Amino acid sequence: AEMQEAGFFRVLQPKEFGGFEMDLRTFFEIQMTLAEGCMSTAWVYGVVGVHPWQLARYPIEAQREVWGSDHSTLVSSTYMPVAKVTPVEGGYRISGRWSFSSGSEHCTWCLLGGIIPVEGDMPAEHGTFLLPLSDYRIEHNWDVLGLRGTGSHDIVVEDAFVPTHRVQRTNKWTIEATPG
């Protein structure tokens, strides 16, 4: 709550959605300062705080779904490609169980990894699926001594539909990141 109040999670968020659009160096400096006091806090900030940068690379429609009515909405993640992915009209159906979603109890959306099967002339590739809390549940099983405060619980999805605009394909990122 204190990091939210201080605006830390808006450092990399687009201005259009109440963010500051600052650079990654500023983000990392904040994280390193937090780590001097509490590693768990710094870890959660590093994981959850970078997602506005990633979400800004999704279509604007997905960004509006996440931040349209609440600019303080947070997103957790776990990128292990464990999703069972089935292409359907307009998107994908996914199911699976992902471990170690740090900060998930403070978030109402989640980025989840999966392998998108071969489709037409597109090879199989890693995809990141953006889901609202209504499409997954958090299994509270993080009870460890070290980094206890990260709350890195499991995420469970049972046959959720994810529209195409909420899926980031690895090859698309590669193409966008290639200079020239």
Side-chain angles (χ1 to χ4, degrees):
E2 290 173 356
M3 288 192 293
Q4 278 275 38
E5 188 177 314
F8 289 171
F9 293 111
R10 293 180 186 212
V11 168
L12 300 176
Q13 191 167 330
K15 287 182 181 179
E16 179 177 347
F17 297 104
F20 305 130
E21 282 188 32
M22 296 174 128
D23 59 89
L24 287 170
R25 183 178 308 268
T26 302
F27 173 77
F28 294 133
E29 287 174 1
I30 293 168
Q31 185 180 22
M32 288 185 293
T33 301
L34 289 170
E36 291 175 12
C38 176
M39 290 301 296
S40 291
T41 301
W43 179 267
V44 170
Y45 177 67
V47 172
V48 175
V50 78
H51 293 141
W53 175 83
Q54 183 177 358
L55 186 55
R57 282 148 179 73
Y58 274 72
I60 192 70
E61 185 177 2
Q63 295 175 56
R64 285 184 183 127
E65 284 182 77
V66 173
W67 292 314
S69 62
D70 183 359
H71 292 169
S72 67
T73 298
L74 299 178
V75 180
S76 65
S77 67
T78 176
Y79 297 102
M80 293 178 283
V82 298
K84 176 185 175 206
V85 179
T86 305
V88 295
E89 186 174 332
Y92 301 89
R93 299 221 57 98
I94 72 165
S95 295
R97 176 191 201 88
W98 293 258
S99 297
F100 313 120
S101 184
S102 299
S104 56
E105 292 178 288
H106 306 287
C107 302
T108 54
W109 286 79
C110 193
L111 294 160
L112 301 169
I115 301 298
I116 299 172
V118 174
E119 295 180 73
D121 62 347
M122 294 293 294
E125 63 183 309
H126 185 275
T128 305
F129 300 84
L130 175 65
L131 280 80
L133 181 57
S134 59
D135 287 350
Y136 65 89
R137 76 178 195 282
I138 300 170
E139 184 169 307
H140 296 90
N141 61 346
W142 185 254
D143 186 21
V144 299
L145 183 58
L147 292 177
R148 179 171 283 165
T150 67
S152 300
H153 301 293
D154 285 5
I155 301 295
V156 179
V157 175
E158 296 169 0
D159 194 36
F161 173 72
V162 184
T164 304
H165 70 272
R166 283 200 260 128
V167 178
Q168 187 68 63
R169 300 177 73 104
T170 302
N171 282 343
K172 183 175 182 194
W173 276 20
T174 304
I175 292 167
E176 290 176 354
T178 304

